């Protein structure tokens, strides 16, 4: 196509792509429009890719090869991933984006002969993309490893020396970037930038406990977006700039919202050291016992209740119990019991995790109640059914100033008249902190696989 025509067509295509990005993002604000919004944004990305390819003059073989390899790896992975593994998949895919940006920066260094005769803003943007992209890639790999339980979820660091080491790594990476930007044509400098940033990414995420990992993933996602925007600035690619800024801005907002939901600050989370150290119930010298119940007793309690609140957690996701929960709720509603679902902002492993699982089971969105909306309901609720939720129901966050999660907003499950907790065992949650709720006078434990337990309760309800 003629260059003059391309100069007109490509910007128009980019504008259309940006409009679709934003319109699609708006659709993600509600469950009824989320699927459509995702498809609209995907069409926008396709248009942006086509517009970029129109300017390609060479290397078509490498481009086609990259598209084929990417599709061959990405499509099956996305189609086969279980909902329980979605957070780590997000971390992995986000990391790949950051790694791609870091490689782009390296390529720019090579093709320009060490940024010779290159505009200052291009040099700065490229080096920023190199550092942030590398941090995001390697940090996301560590986050993936912790969520996938390849690595221990507990904090692993250097103690008090950790932050000093991180600062030194950052200073060293920036120093090498300055040398590379000022004419250090040897590729050693850009390689040092990438390596030091990689070590920094690993060292920043390793000391962070599993309970904070969802926030870390969101933060790394935002950093990937910013690095992509910087790479777009260096490449004069408007699509990368706009898409990167959208990801960076939305990721930053989400990170802040998650931190607020946990009553923590982002610097405190990045500082690490929270989560992973189990606090046993007997550490304070008080002997506690739990009261077990059966599927039959649980069914009787709920069948004669006026209101039941279901509190889903990661245990429900692991057991894939959402469909069984929907069937149980349907039976209860047929008996005149009002059933609601209490959703904590950080239940599961990422925001919206429980919403997506329940929507998959065709649970009415109106029945899903956010924490602020449902907390006043617990005191007048006959039975609360907690399915694999630990940290978000822990009353120590409200009552125990010595608890590591003190101050974190929780679901006021302990105020219910009766609480039934479905768990495999008495193991602590992802934060590694024991939950006094399990030993409460009004709490009964129904041990076993969540899906199997719910199905047993459902069968008992049918017999009533």
């Amino acid at each position: 196509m003629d260059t003059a025509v391309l100069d007109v067509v490509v910007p128009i295509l980019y504008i259309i792509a940006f409009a679709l990005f934003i319109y699609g993002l708006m659709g993600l604000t509600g469950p009824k429009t989320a699927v459509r919004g995702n498809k609209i944004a995907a069409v926008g990305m396709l248009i942006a890719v086509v517009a970029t390819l129109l300017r390609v003059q060479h290397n078509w073989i490498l481009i086609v090869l990259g598209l084929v390899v990417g599709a061959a790896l990405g499509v099956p992975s996305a189609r086969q991933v279980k909902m329980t593994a979605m957070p780590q998949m997000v971390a992995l895919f986000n990391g790949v984006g950051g790694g791609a940006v870091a490689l782009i920066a390296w390529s720019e260094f090579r093709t320009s002969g060490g940024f010779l005769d290159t505009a200052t803003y291009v040099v700065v943007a490229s080096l920023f993309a190199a550092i942030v992209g590398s941090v995001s890639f390697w940090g996301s790999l560590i986050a993936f490893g912790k969520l996938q339980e390849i690595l221990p979820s507990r904090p692993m660091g250097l103690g008090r020396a950790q932050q000093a080491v991180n600062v030194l790594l950052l200073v060293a990476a920036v120093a090498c970037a300055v040398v590379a930007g000022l004419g250090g044509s040897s590729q050693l400098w850009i390689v040092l930038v990438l390596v030091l940033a990689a070590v920094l990414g690993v060292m920043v995420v390793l000391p962070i406990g599993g309970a904070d990992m969802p926030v870390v993933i969101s933060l790394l996602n935002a950093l990937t977006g910013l690095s992509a925007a910087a790479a777009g600035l260096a490449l004069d690619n408007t699509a990368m700039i706009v898409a990167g800024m959208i990801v960076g801005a939305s990721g930053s907002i989400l990170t802040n919202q998650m931190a607020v939901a946990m009553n923590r600050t982002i610097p405190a989370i990045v500082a690490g050291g929270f989560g992973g150290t189990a606090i046993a119930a007997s550490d304070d010298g008080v002997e506690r016992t739990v009261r077990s119940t059966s599927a039959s007793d649980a069914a009787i309690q709920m069948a004669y209740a006026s209101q039941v609140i279901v509190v889903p957690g990661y245990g429900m996701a692991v057991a894939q119990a959402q469909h069984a929960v929907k069937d149980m709720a349907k039976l209860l509603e047929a008996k005149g019991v009002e059933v609601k679902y209490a959703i904590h902002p950080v239940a599961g492993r990422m925001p919206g995790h429980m919403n997506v699982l329940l929507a998959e089971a065709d649970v009415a969105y109106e029945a899903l109640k956010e924490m602020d909306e449902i907390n006043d309901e617990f005191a007048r609720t006959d039975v609360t059914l907690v399915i694999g939720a630990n940290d978000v129901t822990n009353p120590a966050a409200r009552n125990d100033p010595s608890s590591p999660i003190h101050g974190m907003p929780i679901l006021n499950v302990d105020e219910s008249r009766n609480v039934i907790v479905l768990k495999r065992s008495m193991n602590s949650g992802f934060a590694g902190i024991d939950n006094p709720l399990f030993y409460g006078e009004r709490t009964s434990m129904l041990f076993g696989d969540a899906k199997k337990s719910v199905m047993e309760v459902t069968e008992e309800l049918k017999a009533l």
Side-chain angles (χ1 to χ4, degrees), residues 294-303 310 321-335 339 341 385 387 420 422 446 449-464:
S294 64
S296 176
D297 289 342
I300 292 173
Q301 278 188 283
M302 289 190 288
V310 177
Q322 62 270 25
H323 293 281
V325 171
K326 170 64 185 302
D327 293 339
M328 180 191 70
K330 188 176 180 180
L331 277 177
L332 288 172
E333 290 167 345
K335 295 178 181 293
V339 180
Y341 300 82
L385 185 66
I387 309 179
I420 301 173
L422 273 59
L446 181 55
D449 176 80
K451 183 177 181 179
K452 183 178 179 181
S453 295
V454 172
M455 292 175 69
E456 290 175 353
V457 171
T458 302
E459 290 303 314
E460 295 292 340
L461 286 170
K462 291 178 181 177
L464 294 176

Side-chain angles (χ1 to χ4, degrees), residues 8-18 44 47-48 50-51 54:
V8 176
V9 171
V10 171
I12 292 175
L13 290 176
Y14 279 153
I15 292 173
I16 295 173
F18 307 152
I47 293 173
V50 171
L54 288 175

Side-chain angles (χ1 to χ4, degrees), residues 62-237:
L62 288 177
I63 291 173
V64 172
L65 181 61
L67 290 173
V68 170
V69 172
L73 293 175
V75 173
S77 299
R79 290 181 65 88
Q80 295 174 14
V81 64
K82 296 180 180 179
M83 281 305 305
T84 52
M86 191 59 70
Q88 45 264 53
M89 179 63 77
V90 171
L92 186 60
F93 281 2
N94 170 68
V96 170
V101 169
L103 291 177
I104 288 173
W106 188 4
S107 176
E108 280 296 295
F109 181 88
R110 292 184 59 196
T111 56
S112 64
F115 296 130
L116 294 176
D117 300 322
T118 303
T120 302
Y121 79 90
V122 173
V123 175
V124 173
S126 296
L127 293 172
F128 176 85
I131 294 175
V132 177
S134 187
V135 167
S136 178
F137 175 70
W138 291 99
S140 295
L141 290 185
I142 298 300
F144 169 83
K146 289 199 171 194
L147 289 174
Q148 192 66 21
E149 299 182 355
I150 298 173
L151 297 173
S153 64
R154 69 177 185 276
M156 297 182 292
L158 303 175
R160 294 182 178 180
Q162 185 67 56
Q163 300 311 315
V165 171
N166 289 349
V167 170
L168 287 175
L169 287 169
L170 178 60
V171 170
V174 171
C176 290
V178 170
V179 174
L182 292 177
S185 57
S186 172
Q187 290 199 48
L188 172 64
W189 294 111
I190 191 66
V191 170
L192 281 175
V193 170
L194 296 174
V195 170
L196 289 168
V199 177
L200 176 62
V202 171
M203 296 300 287
V204 165
V205 180
L206 270 179
I208 301 177
D212 285 331
M213 208 47 58
V215 184
V216 173
I217 291 174
S218 181
L219 178 60
L220 292 171
N221 184 60
L223 292 177
T224 296
L226 293 176
S227 65
L233 186 64
L235 297 175
D236 193 24
N237 188 301

Side-chain angles (χ1 to χ4, degrees), residues 171-403:
V171 170
V174 171
C176 290
V178 170
V179 174
L182 292 177
S185 57
S186 172
Q187 290 199 48
L188 172 64
W189 294 111
I190 191 66
V191 170
L192 281 175
V193 170
L194 296 174
V195 170
L196 289 168
V199 177
L200 176 62
V202 171
M203 296 300 287
V204 165
V205 180
L206 270 179
I208 301 177
D212 285 331
M213 208 47 58
V215 184
V216 173
I217 291 174
S218 181
L219 178 60
L220 292 171
N221 184 60
L223 292 177
T224 296
L226 293 176
S227 65
L233 186 64
L235 297 175
D236 193 24
N237 188 301
T238 313
M240 288 185 67
I241 296 173
V242 175
M245 289 307 299
I246 289 175
V247 172
S250 60
S252 299
I253 293 171
L254 178 59
T255 302
N256 182 65
Q257 288 180 336
M258 292 173 68
V260 169
M262 299 173 69
N263 195 37
R264 289 165 61 73
T265 64
I266 296 174
I269 290 171
V270 174
F274 172 65
T277 303
I279 301 176
S282 59
D283 281 354
D284 57 3
V286 178
E287 184 178 347
R288 296 182 174 91
T289 58
V290 297
R291 182 177 57 168
S292 297
T293 189
S294 64
S296 176
D297 289 342
I300 292 173
Q301 278 188 283
M302 289 190 288
Y304 292 99
S306 59
Q307 177 170 281
V308 170
I309 294 180
V310 177
V311 180
Y314 189 64
M316 187 188 78
V318 171
Q320 290 289 286
Q322 62 270 25
H323 293 281
V325 171
K326 170 64 185 302
D327 293 339
M328 180 191 70
K330 188 176 180 180
L331 277 177
L332 288 172
E333 290 167 345
K335 295 178 181 293
V337 181
E338 185 175 10
V339 180
K340 297 178 181 178
Y341 300 82
I343 310 298
H344 193 280
V346 294
R349 293 294 183 266
M350 62 190 299
H353 200 179
M354 299 298 105
N355 304 66
V356 172
L357 284 173
L358 293 170
E360 182 186 356
D362 293 325
V363 173
Y365 187 71
E366 293 73 20
L368 307 183
K369 306 297 182 181
E370 298 296 331
M371 178 177 62
D372 294 337
E373 184 181 2
I374 197 70
N375 259 348
D376 291 337
E377 293 275 338
F378 286 107
R380 52 179 177 267
T381 297
D382 297 302
V383 180
T384 294
L385 185 66
V386 180
I387 309 179
N390 289 279
D391 306 318
V392 299
T393 64
N394 193 333
R398 188 179 62 239
N399 306 327
D400 184 3
S402 66
S403 173

